[in-house]
Amino acid sequence: SQAAWCELPSRVLLVLTSQRGVQMYEADGSTMVFWHALDVPELPAAHSVFARGIAAAGGRFICVGTSFGAVLVFDVPPKGTNVTLSEVLEQHRDPITDIAAEQGQAPDGAGDLVTADDSGTLCLWSSGEEFTLLGKIPGSGCTCSSVALWKGIVAAGYGNGQIRLWEAGSGRIRAQVSAHARWIYALDLAPLTGKLLSGAEDSFVHVWKLSRNPDTDDIEVQHCHAECVTDTQVCGARFCDPAGDTFAVTGYDLSEILCY
Amino acid sequence: RVDEWTDVDRKRVMNDIISTMFNNKFMEELFKPQDLYSKKALRTVYDRLAHASIMRLNQASMDKLYDLMTMAFKYQVLLCPRPRDILLVTFNHLDAIKDFISDSPGILNQVDETFRRLIETYNCLSDGEFQLIRQTLLIFFQDMHIRVSIFLKDKVQNSNGRFVLPISGPVPWGTEVPGLIRIFNHKGVEVKRAEFTTAGNYVTPQREGSFELYGDRVLKLGTNMYSVTRPVETHMSGSSKNLASQAKEHTAPNPLAKEELNFLARLLGGLDIQKPAGGESGFRLNLFTTDEEEEHAAQTRPEELSYKVINIEATQ
């Protein structure tokens, strides 16, 4: 199960995903605005059914991934409960792991949404009445567990501990970091500074700085800081402010949220 | 008393339990795609298996045995370097089991059959699918912090019940030692390298474990913890956090209860229990040092850690 705040210009919704489907609540949790049930087969299948991956896109849509590989696009009105399933994007053949929307200003042609799946395949989209597939980055067999998108840079965290930075427009790899010794569970980005946060099962949380070299147009990444959460497999990591000055961490068997 | 057992008795119990566990019908049910069972259901199946022979255990010893099994398994799943390694852990279990019944070809065959089934069903799964399985298992064991003597002694578990997660040693197969940053230009040519350091002290692994019927698993997780005689104490005070959630699990009406009972009946129906023949009295296994200690443990077990066992008379 996952929970995410979806910030749209007109309203903020709390979106929850589970094995049954998708639920959307008003920001204060008072009312359920909408729910969408996933088609569950009659007999238990060999593969589990679930929704995973949540992002708000294009100032109007909420996108949710599924274990079938399909991405559900919901059109959300500025007020009320008339949320409709606007489109189903079917480019992935493996369960969706994460979805991220552009958090800064995208360069032309770079798109404003990235979707990732179990095989490591990334798809880049341009949101709208009809979403357009701008590019596909084939996976190399390692699960992409987490993605972020900022100024046309796709930051992807993988199950083998690697972070890769891709150029959204061209689909080319621009940086590769041997970041963690275990499965990366979380990536978060601070849009004001380009700081990237990564948390993994190896107990480490790292803060990186992304930037573009104005002369070469190369994407640069620097390591800023490391924290070791002793004896804890980090499951969640998020910046608490848009500049990335503070961040919070959660872990398996940990009943506390740690703030740094 | 265990010291009254002969080698023949030990052999008998080992053979009975293993052949019961690996019989066709039971495996058939286990391999059906299904949701993870509840804690009650798992404990019930475990009880049945433990009593598949002439060995008997009182409630307190049974509880302790289950605690040991639970924490050992949690440890193995948690520390798997790669999600796929939970399969290697399972293979280690089976390799050890095969060693116990190496001179009983019939039972050996049953175990090999299960081995082949595992290979057929699981070898092809993706990392993502294995991680999902692993996460599901970890959620099942969440908040359990029973302290196990040999884990505490080996410094594998802290005094607060949490496992030690080393930040040194070989990285998983397929992972690079952390520290390198590589930058590529728009043509895909590497133009810069940089390094960063952390408190971790990792090295490259030597080789990958084997997923075949026979082979070096490389991974030590899942190998016999008691290959040398070790103490079996467990400590429970203060080991169960989140009492509220535990209480909820025991008292909330479960709409799937009927489903689960049916499932259990089918599963246990596949367990062919050999009742001791008339005259055989069976042996009682006591995991405590004295009978009095066992009795005391039964009376002082914290409420939130009591397992409620379901009584099912499963008929074929």
Side-chain angles (χ1 to χ4, degrees):
Chain A
S1 308
Q2 284 185 320
W5 293 110
C6 286
E7 276 186 47
L8 295 166
S10 52
R11 68 203 294 192
V12 174
L13 290 178
L14 176 65
V15 180
L16 306 177
T17 58
S18 69
Q19 284 188 295
R20 285 186 228 278
V22 187
Q23 291 173 317
M24 298 186 194
Y25 293 83
E26 293 290 3
D28 60 3
S30 58
T31 26
M32 182 165 76
V33 170
F34 175 74
W35 69 277
H36 174 94
L38 289 176
D39 294 316
V40 181
E42 275 296 314
L43 301 163
H47 299 275
S48 52
V49 170
F50 54 84
R52 183 172 61 187
I54 308 168
R60 184 180 148 192
F61 303 100
I62 287 179
C63 303
V64 178
T66 66
S67 49
F68 319 121
V71 176
L72 308 171
V73 179
F74 297 98
D75 195 337
V76 183
K79 267 198 306 227
T81 59
N82 192 19
V83 176
T84 52
L85 177 63
S86 139
E87 212 181 335
V88 178
L89 310 174
E90 282 168 330
Q91 281 293 332
H92 290 275
R93 277 187 300 216
D94 296 277
I96 303 294
T97 48
D98 199 13
I99 305 179
E102 172 62 64
Q103 289 183 256
Q105 256 317 70
D108 291 327
D112 62 344
L113 190 79
V114 61
T115 53
D117 72 27
D118 257 4
S119 70
T121 300
L122 302 168
C123 286
L124 289 131
W125 308 85
S126 172
S127 67
E129 291 270 339
E130 259 182 49
F131 276 53
T132 323
L133 177 72
L134 296 179
K136 203 183 230 184
I137 299 170
S140 48
C142 193
T143 301
C144 173
S145 45
S146 206
V147 269
L149 182 58
W150 182 70
K151 293 193 175 170
I153 304 171
V154 176
Y158 293 83
N160 64 358
Q162 253 191 24
I163 293 177
R164 291 183 180 179
L165 301 182
W166 305 83
E167 180 81 65
S170 64
R172 286 219 142 98
I173 188 166
R174 300 307 296 268
Q176 193 162 295
V177 186
S178 310
H180 289 275
R182 293 282 191 281
W183 189 282
I184 294 178
Y185 260 119
L187 277 189
D188 194 28
L189 205 133
L192 290 184
T193 52
K195 278 196 201 162
L196 181 72
L197 186 67
S198 65
E201 276 179 12
D202 61 355
S203 316
F204 281 92
V205 179
H206 291 292
V207 182
W208 317 84
K209 185 92 182 321
L210 305 186
S211 58
R212 259 194 210 275
N213 186 315
D215 305 317
T216 61
D217 206 33
D218 281 342
I219 294 170
E220 305 249 330
V221 54
Q222 280 176 309
H223 182 252
C224 301
H225 187 72
E227 274 300 329
C228 180
V229 189
T230 313
D231 296 337
T232 303
Q233 294 193 348
V234 174
C235 293
R238 282 275 181 275
F239 282 120
C240 302
D241 65 282
D245 290 327
T246 49
F247 59 89
V249 172
T250 57
Y252 175 70
D253 260 352
L254 204 60
S255 44
E256 299 132 350
I257 299 175
L258 304 170
C259 293
Y260 295 82
Chain B
R1 279 285 119 84
V2 178
D3 40 75
E4 282 167 5
W5 298 37
T6 62
D7 277 341
V8 173
D9 297 322
R10 277 185 250 270
K11 195 99 238 211
R12 163 92 186 265
V13 172
M14 200 62 107
N15 283 9
D16 284 349
I17 292 181
I18 295 173
S19 68
T20 303
M21 207 189 308
F22 286 89
N23 90 56
N24 232 333
K25 263 196 89 186
F26 186 60
M27 281 301 150
E28 196 73 45
E29 282 299 326
L30 278 189
F31 271 84
K32 285 188 183 157
Q34 60 198 287
D35 287 334
L36 196 61
Y37 347 130
S38 69
K39 295 188 180 167
K40 279 190 231 176
L42 183 64
R43 174 58 197 264
T44 305
V45 174
Y46 197 72
D47 267 20
R48 272 299 176 105
L49 281 174
H51 287 94
S53 183
I54 55 174
M55 184 177 74
R56 292 283 167 271
L57 291 104
N58 285 344
Q59 178 79 336
S61 282
M62 194 60 232
D63 283 344
K64 186 197 254 201
L65 187 63
Y66 188 75
D67 286 345
L68 278 172
M69 185 279 289
T70 304
M71 290 310 289
F73 189 63
K74 179 177 180 176
Y75 171 68
Q76 289 165 16
V77 174
L78 188 66
L79 261 82
C80 272
R82 304 172 295 178
R84 178 174 305 274
D85 289 337
I86 56 177
L87 195 51
L88 280 184
V89 167
T90 307
F91 290 164
N92 270 336
H93 292 169
L94 292 187
D95 285 342
I97 288 170
K98 279 165 73 171
D99 206 36
F100 295 144
I101 40 112
S102 52
D103 51 0
S104 310
I107 311 176
L108 201 55
N109 221 6
Q110 283 178 273
V111 180
D112 274 343
E113 237 340 280
T114 302
F115 221 121
R116 274 182 224 113
R117 254 191 138 141
L118 282 168
I119 291 174
E120 199 183 290
T121 312
Y122 293 99
N123 272 23
C124 55
L125 293 193
S126 69
D127 291 336
E129 286 170 309
F130 271 116
Q131 184 66 317
L132 199 57
I133 293 172
R134 184 171 167 271
Q135 284 168 341
T136 308
L137 291 172
L138 286 176
I139 289 171
F140 184 88
F141 292 117
Q142 198 160 260
D143 298 328
M144 284 191 201
H145 301 295
I146 295 166
R147 300 189 302 285
V148 176
S149 272
I150 69 173
F151 284 154
L152 294 171
K153 272 206 180 81
D154 292 347
K155 303 260 189 288
V156 135
Q157 190 179 27
N158 293 321
S159 52
N160 63 5
R162 279 145 203 289
F163 291 118
V164 173
L165 299 184
I167 55 171
S168 60
V171 288
W173 190 261
T175 293
E176 285 169 9
V177 173
L180 189 60
I181 300 174
R182 297 166 69 193
I183 308 286
F184 304 92
N185 67 13
H186 62 276
K187 292 208 199 92
V189 177
E190 186 182 309
V191 292
K192 191 166 139 179
R193 275 196 175 206
E195 286 192 13
F196 67 94
T197 52
T198 61
N201 185 10
Y202 297 101
V203 295
T204 21
Q206 295 213 328
R207 60 190 186 284
E208 189 181 13
S210 161
F211 287 84
E212 313 272 309
L213 194 56
Y214 301 99
D216 179 7
R217 311 296 171 200
V218 180
L219 192 64
K220 292 289 165 264
L221 288 173
T223 53
N224 190 355
M225 283 161 43
Y226 294 95
S227 49
V228 183
T229 314
R230 309 287 305 269
V232 290
E233 288 103 62
T234 54
H235 312 273
M236 273 166 309
S237 58
S239 35
S240 179
K241 301 256 163 127
N242 228 337
L243 301 181
S245 71
Q246 295 243 3
K248 232 181 269 169
E249 197 188 289
H250 287 150
T251 58
N254 182 2
L256 295 172
K258 182 157 182 277
E259 275 281 324
E260 192 164 70
L261 288 177
N262 286 338
F263 150 77
L264 268 182
R266 278 197 312 274
L267 194 65
L268 298 178
L271 289 182
D272 202 8
I273 309 296
Q274 305 285 354
K275 293 266 188 262
E280 274 187 302
S281 54
F283 288 91
R284 191 167 67 79
L285 175 65
N286 182 351
L287 287 180
F288 297 83
T289 350
T290 61
D291 282 346
E292 292 70 38
E293 226 189 272
E294 188 186 45
E295 179 58 38
H296 179 72
Q299 285 168 357
T300 57
R301 191 176 178 87
E303 176 55 37
E304 66 274 8
L305 290 174
S306 65
Y307 299 104
K308 289 161 177 52
V309 178
I310 303 171
N311 245 324
I312 290 190
E313 280 310 316
T315 52
Q316 308 248 358

